[in-house]
Amino acid sequence: MIECRSITKIYLNGGQETTVLRSVSFNIANGEFVAIMGPSGSGKSTLMHILGCLDSPTSGQYLLNGHNVAELSDDALADIRREKIGFVFQAFNLLPRATVLRNVALPLVYAGISRSGREEVAKKSLAAVNLEESHYNHLSNQLSGGQIQRVAIARALVNNPAIILADEPTGNLDTKTGEAVLATFESLNKQGRTIVLITHERDVAAHAKRIIHIRDGQIINDEKTR
Amino acid sequence: MKISDLFEETYAAIVVNKVRSSLTILGIVIGIGSVIAMVSIGQGAQGSIESSIQSIGSNLVLVTPGFQRGPGSQVSGGRGSAQTLTQEDADAIIKEVTLAKAVAPEISRRYQITVRGKNTNTSVIGTVASYAEVRNVKSASGSFITDQSVRSLSKVAVLGPTTVSDLFGAGVDPIGQTIRINKVDFKVIGVTKSKGGSGFSNPDDAVYVPLSTAQRFLAGDNYVTTISVEAEDASTMSAIQQQITALLMARHNIANQQLADFQVINQSDIVAAASSVTGIFTILLASIAGISLLVGGIGIMNMMLTTVTERTREIGLRKAIGAHRGDINRQFLSEAVTLTLIGGGLGILLGWILASAVTQFAGIATTISLSSVALAFGVSAAIGIVFGYYPARRASKLNPIDALRYE
Ligand SMILES: Nc1ncnc2c1ncn2[C@@H]1O[C@H](COP(=O)(O)OP(=O)(O)OP(=O)(O)O)[C@@H](O)[C@H]1O
Ligand SMILES: [Mg+2]
């Protein structure tokens, strides 16, 4: 259960304040499939980072499963990110000069899973995003944009998270691969996982059951589509 | 995070950043290697100079001919070239300097020596039986010069081990053979033990003959070049020095000590002078080494800091996917320690190789001291760990997004 109560995010750069999120409040229940839409610079990624416990709001409260995230220790947040959340970054953030397999398996290192166990799970996860097996031992900087995107998604799925937060996960993919990734998300959602994805495309948003529109750091529309 | 995974991550990080890792290691290797090599050369030189001074005997007072400055004359012969000490001076010292335990006058000069076509140019020391005791010369085989042979002007010679191998070849027993010094035949009666010295005046490359024989048949004169006086112990040395000075001034009719035509040197003065010189030498080498340690350290620091941006992003990512702060700290500490240990090990090896090469090719004894190893290792380990670990520790405290955005 995700609860946002008047979340405000203000960046301070050289004495100049930029308000990116203005008192945003909404809830996402377990098992929902939500798309967040809005123009570039409207604060979607910023919001997503807060939902993923990667950043903290300037004011307001974010409660995850009833716990106020601001009150949790650094290590407790790391545990939540590792056990509950799968995050696909807009900028992918793969480990450079490491193989695809190592990148995807990395979250499992911190879960204390043995090497062979990690590789098995990582391969399943890579199969789910349709990455060809011949690329598993390529270095992450030897891949195409779409391949990198799929590796980043595979990494988010590898720890079998209850919440998947994906920041424009299909931006670099052709329609067919994009559909395959979305089908994966849909089937995960059917298994009861919460999915939140950011997109600019109506076709992609159409897969979700609820669409939240954001403009200038405020929710302007929140509708159930199915 | 498992220990085996920690090592795997460390290994991967070091291998992935090959250039950075090898430059860091190189900085450590150069720093540690040069400190160890330089300090070992300095200390080795100090040790070998001190031991070669000790090998000429102990509690020794040396009397040598000195500058003979006539009034108004600026020209003087070098020390030892003047012929101002005579056999009579030596006899007077033996008779009147009662504190002396033993007195050994000598006349030494270089001559051409031939044996069946082979020849060598070496120093021939004409002396007496007590020289062996005073100057710490031991016989390896045969006997040394005896009082009897001095009295009877015997044409006998005792050879140093280096001279034996030069003239007869290694391992040959020369006793009973005849050698020719300056066209005079001498019979070899003994060989001395090696003193193991080195440098300009090798004590093993010498020929000892009776003093009287040398004066009569080689020099054709009765002056002496050095009178070595052994004191009973260190406390009587300066008294002996004063007695000899007074005696010789009276004998040479010199009233002003400034004008003395001889020098009386105390062995402890030589030791003190030499160790102050080698001490300065060691400090000089150590400061050169210190500078290379510093340069190496700055190199390590630079390598570590230039990659902070990249590593900070990596730390942000690792935290974003669930790494604890402790996992990050352990990984970076293990990386810094591994680099430092590899660099330190190679550096010690390099220092040792350099020191051995100097011993091998330049003939300078070297001593690798534990304290220089510890100092060099400590400094570069501290630099490596502080600059490898500290930025990582700082980055691990950022929230993941700030670390991922780090510029
Ligand atoms: N660290 C920061 N410091 C200052 N301003 C920031 C910072 N991060 C983001 N912003 C600003 O916050 C605003 C929202 O950024 P955000 O990344 O959330 O946009 P977005 O909705 O994800 O856009 P896009 O669709 O282009 O990804 C932007 O105007 C951006 O300039
Ligand atoms: Mg964005």
Side-chain angles (χ1 to χ4, degrees):
Chain A
M1 175 79 164
I2 289 170
E3 291 175 71
C4 293
R5 295 185 190 156
S6 2
I7 285 186
T8 299
K9 181 73 181 178
I10 300 169
Y11 286 112
L12 243 178
N13 274 343
Q16 199 195 328
E17 285 190 2
T18 322
T19 307
V20 177
L21 294 175
R22 297 162 206 270
S23 197
V24 173
S25 300
F26 63 93
N27 292 346
I28 296 174
N30 288 341
E32 278 200 77
F33 190 160
V34 182
I36 298 178
M37 297 189 77
S40 181
S42 55
K44 305 182 297 291
S45 296
T46 307
L47 179 61
M48 199 71 132
H49 293 151
I50 292 171
L51 299 185
C53 301
L54 296 166
D55 206 353
S56 45
T58 313
S59 69
Q61 287 170 329
Y62 170 43
L63 284 81
L64 185 63
N65 296 331
H67 298 290
N68 188 346
V69 165
E71 288 164 4
L72 295 175
S73 72
D74 200 77
D75 283 353
L77 288 176
D79 289 338
I80 290 177
R81 291 192 292 265
R82 191 181 64 235
E83 287 162 11
K84 305 235 156 62
I85 297 173
F87 204 103
V88 184
F89 289 94
Q90 190 169 12
F92 316 126
N93 291 327
L94 297 186
L95 207 58
R97 284 164 290 173
T99 63
V100 165
L101 213 51
R102 213 165 91 78
N103 261 294
V104 175
L106 197 59
L108 302 175
V109 168
Y110 297 107
I113 294 170
S114 73
R115 193 198 169 109
S116 56
R118 291 201 298 262
E119 293 196 342
E120 197 180 315
V121 181
K123 281 175 183 165
K124 266 187 206 152
S125 188
L126 282 162
V129 295
N130 286 355
L131 194 84
E132 300 79 1
E133 256 192 86
S134 58
H135 294 306
Y136 287 6
N137 286 314
H138 283 187
L139 299 182
S140 62
N141 48 1
Q142 296 169 348
L143 300 174
S144 75
Q147 287 165 343
I148 292 174
Q149 187 146 38
R150 280 179 280 163
V151 174
I153 296 167
R155 186 182 61 194
L157 303 181
V158 82
N159 53 349
N160 204 9
I163 303 171
I164 294 163
L165 304 173
D167 198 343
E168 297 193 36
T170 57
N172 288 325
L173 301 181
D174 58 89
T175 325
K176 196 171 149 245
T177 323
E179 286 296 332
V181 167
L182 288 168
T184 309
F185 284 164
E186 274 182 326
S187 81
L188 287 168
N189 180 241
K190 282 206 184 79
Q191 292 166 28
R193 298 179 204 287
T194 311
I195 316 262
V196 181
L197 58 81
I198 293 176
T199 183
H200 287 287
E201 295 166 55
R202 298 210 162 271
D203 300 351
V204 175
H207 289 264
K209 296 171 185 162
R210 174 182 168 193
I211 302 178
I212 297 176
H213 285 270
I214 291 188
R215 179 169 295 166
D216 292 333
Q218 282 174 308
I219 296 181
I220 52 163
N221 194 10
D222 185 345
E223 53 176 351
K224 287 246 185 337
T225 52
R226 267 189 272 163
Chain B
M1 190 177 188
K2 290 185 175 160
I3 291 288
S4 61
D5 289 331
L6 178 65
F7 288 143
E8 204 181 310
E9 291 293 325
T10 304
Y11 173 78
I14 289 173
V15 170
V16 156
N17 302 301
K18 276 194 194 66
V19 174
R20 184 183 73 98
S21 308
S22 38
L23 286 177
T24 306
I25 290 173
L26 189 68
I28 300 174
V29 168
I30 290 173
I32 293 187
S34 57
V35 168
I36 291 173
M38 300 267 187
V39 172
S40 76
I41 292 167
Q43 291 184 336
Q46 198 160 5
S48 77
I49 287 174
E50 276 165 18
S51 77
S52 75
I53 292 170
Q54 295 305 337
S55 80
I56 65 172
S58 48
N59 300 331
L60 212 55
V61 175
L62 296 175
V63 188
T64 56
F67 310 119
Q68 200 169 17
R69 290 195 198 87
S73 158
Q74 290 297 317
V75 184
S76 68
R79 178 163 76 89
S81 69
Q83 303 184 352
T84 53
L85 284 180
T86 60
Q87 183 62 44
E88 287 75 37
D89 289 330
D91 292 340
I93 291 172
I94 293 169
K95 215 170 107 198
E96 294 185 33
V97 179
T98 45
L99 284 171
K101 186 178 163 197
V103 179
E106 67 178 87
I107 175 167
S108 51
R109 221 201 233 181
R110 299 189 79 86
Y111 290 102
Q112 199 69 25
I113 300 173
T114 50
V115 175
R116 292 190 300 260
K118 278 193 195 170
N119 68 70
T120 180
N121 185 291
T122 190
S123 94
V124 176
I125 301 164
T127 189
V128 296
S130 58
Y131 187 89
E133 184 201 336
V134 175
R135 296 298 287 264
N136 202 15
V137 178
K138 294 190 177 63
S139 281
S141 62
S143 65
F144 195 67
I145 307 295
T146 59
D147 288 334
Q148 167 60 33
S149 58
V150 175
R151 248 177 277 127
S152 60
L153 273 79
S154 306
K155 289 174 187 155
V156 293
V158 176
L159 307 183
T162 307
T163 317
V164 173
S165 58
D166 285 352
L167 290 174
F168 297 94
V172 176
D173 182 10
I175 292 174
Q177 307 269 8
T178 301
I179 63 170
R180 178 168 277 241
I181 305 173
N182 201 26
K183 302 190 184 90
V184 182
D185 282 341
F186 285 77
K187 190 176 158 215
V188 178
I189 57 162
V191 177
T192 63
K193 260 191 193 151
S194 171
K195 284 187 168 192
S198 59
F200 301 112
S201 58
N202 181 352
D204 292 343
D205 187 15
V207 175
Y208 303 93
V209 298
L211 176 64
S212 51
T213 316
Q215 287 170 332
R216 174 77 60 86
F217 298 110
L218 299 176
D221 210 334
N222 78 334
Y223 69 88
V224 298
T225 51
T226 306
I227 303 166
S228 310
V229 181
E230 187 186 10
E232 197 71 55
D233 53 52
S235 64
T236 56
M237 283 171 79
S238 50
I240 289 177
Q241 210 175 352
Q242 280 163 13
Q243 280 188 2
I244 294 172
T245 308
L247 174 68
L248 291 183
M249 275 167 65
R251 286 182 55 83
H252 294 190
N253 290 323
I254 297 164
N256 183 348
Q257 203 174 337
Q258 301 295 316
L259 297 174
D261 57 0
F262 59 89
Q263 283 181 317
V264 185
I265 311 158
N266 188 322
Q267 192 185 14
S268 50
D269 296 343
I270 308 175
V271 173
S275 36
S276 83
V277 169
T278 53
I280 291 168
F281 181 59
T282 306
I283 291 170
L284 185 75
L285 287 177
S287 31
I288 295 172
I291 291 169
S292 30
L293 191 61
L294 191 73
V295 171
I298 291 171
I300 301 167
M301 211 161 96
N302 194 30
M303 284 321 298
M304 297 286 189
L305 291 180
T306 48
T307 51
V308 159
T309 306
E310 188 189 326
R311 301 316 294 277
T312 301
R313 291 210 182 113
E314 180 187 332
I315 289 167
L317 169 67
R318 288 177 185 274
K319 282 197 77 183
I321 59 174
H324 283 187
R325 211 180 268 175
D327 294 329
I328 305 283
N329 290 346
R330 270 191 294 279
Q331 184 195 329
F332 279 75
L333 187 62
S334 142
E335 204 180 307
V337 168
T338 307
L339 288 177
T340 318
L341 285 183
I342 295 173
L346 291 177
I348 290 172
L349 196 68
L350 176 76
W352 178 75
I353 289 172
L354 286 179
S356 321
V358 164
T359 307
Q360 188 76 27
F361 298 113
I364 299 170
T366 52
T367 332
I368 292 181
S369 73
L370 201 65
S371 59
S372 69
V373 173
L375 172 83
F377 200 88
V379 169
S380 53
I383 294 170
I385 289 169
V386 167
F387 288 95
Y389 177 60
Y390 177 70
R393 193 185 154 75
R394 221 180 32 183
S396 76
K397 286 186 181 157
L398 295 174
N399 80 30
I401 284 299
D402 289 340
L404 278 166
R405 282 221 189 93
Y406 187 87
E407 291 295 324

